[in-house]
Amino acid sequence: MDLLIDAWSRRLPDVDLTPLDVMSRLRRAANRLSRLRADAFESAGLASWEFDVLAALRREEPPHELSPAQLISATMIGSAAMTNRLDNLVKRGLVERHPNPRDGRSVLVRITPEGTTRVDDAMRSLAEREAVELRGLSREEQATLAELLRRLTSG
């Protein structure tokens, strides 16, 4: 990265490349994180999209259930995609649908014990792998970085 920034600095000496330096490093970190997450989820027998749905359910208080509309909001995907994902998760025994007792026209989606085991295993694996990635930073540096990224992404 430093070589790229140096090369562009020589070609465009009048341009401040600090933003490019920061954003390019963030892009590389994001790509690395994406691979790390996929590996962590795969180790628990899950795809990334499966983890997202199961994690949204697992974060809820028992009985760990949400409506499909709430899952759509939590995962930021479309209705058709959610229907397909839920169908697949039901087939795999990771979630179950049941009638909504407050509205007989709708259903609630509940994580199964197998879904809970898998998403918990994936989260443990992810936390361990991310800790390894951040081992070169002190706790204070990690907190500082988290705060800077929070400010960067809040807008």
Side-chain angles (χ1 to χ4, degrees):
M1 182 57 37
D2 292 329
L3 296 175
L4 292 172
I5 297 298
D6 289 345
W8 277 111
S9 293
R10 288 191 302 277
R11 300 297 173 263
L12 301 172
D14 58 323
V15 175
D16 177 12
L17 297 174
T18 305
L20 178 69
D21 191 17
V22 171
M23 294 302 197
S24 294
R25 290 179 196 284
L26 281 174
R27 183 178 53 91
R28 285 184 178 208
N31 289 342
R32 193 166 163 174
L33 178 60
S34 181
R35 286 189 304 275
L36 181 139
R37 285 180 168 232
D39 290 345
F41 302 154
E42 186 179 317
S43 74
L46 298 173
S48 292
W49 67 265
E50 291 173 314
F51 176 84
D52 291 342
V53 174
L54 295 173
L57 291 166
R58 183 68 169 120
R59 288 189 303 263
E60 291 299 308
E61 292 299 319
H64 308 291
E65 63 186 11
L66 291 169
S67 71
Q70 290 170 312
L71 280 168
I72 288 167
S73 177
T75 59
M76 297 181 287
I77 64 164
S79 177
M82 181 58 70
T83 298
N84 185 46
R85 290 177 181 193
L86 291 176
D87 288 345
N88 285 316
L89 289 167
V90 167
K91 285 178 192 168
R92 292 193 57 203
L94 302 177
V95 302
E96 57 191 15
R97 291 181 176 113
H98 60 89
N100 185 338
R102 294 177 300 278
D103 177 2
R105 298 169 295 158
S106 66
V107 299
L108 292 173
V109 179
R110 181 180 297 167
I111 194 169
T112 64
E114 176 66 19
T116 298
T117 297
R118 289 196 187 217
V119 76
D120 287 358
D121 288 349
M123 182 52 78
R124 283 185 187 96
S125 178
L126 179 60
E128 290 169 6
R129 291 166 192 242
E130 288 183 350
V132 169
E133 287 295 309
L134 293 172
R135 69 184 174 275
L137 300 176
S138 69
R139 289 273 188 191
E140 182 178 287
E141 289 170 325
Q142 290 178 41
T144 299
L145 180 57
E147 177 55 31
L148 291 170
L149 292 171
R150 188 176 295 111
R151 287 175 31 202
L152 182 64
T153 59
S154 67

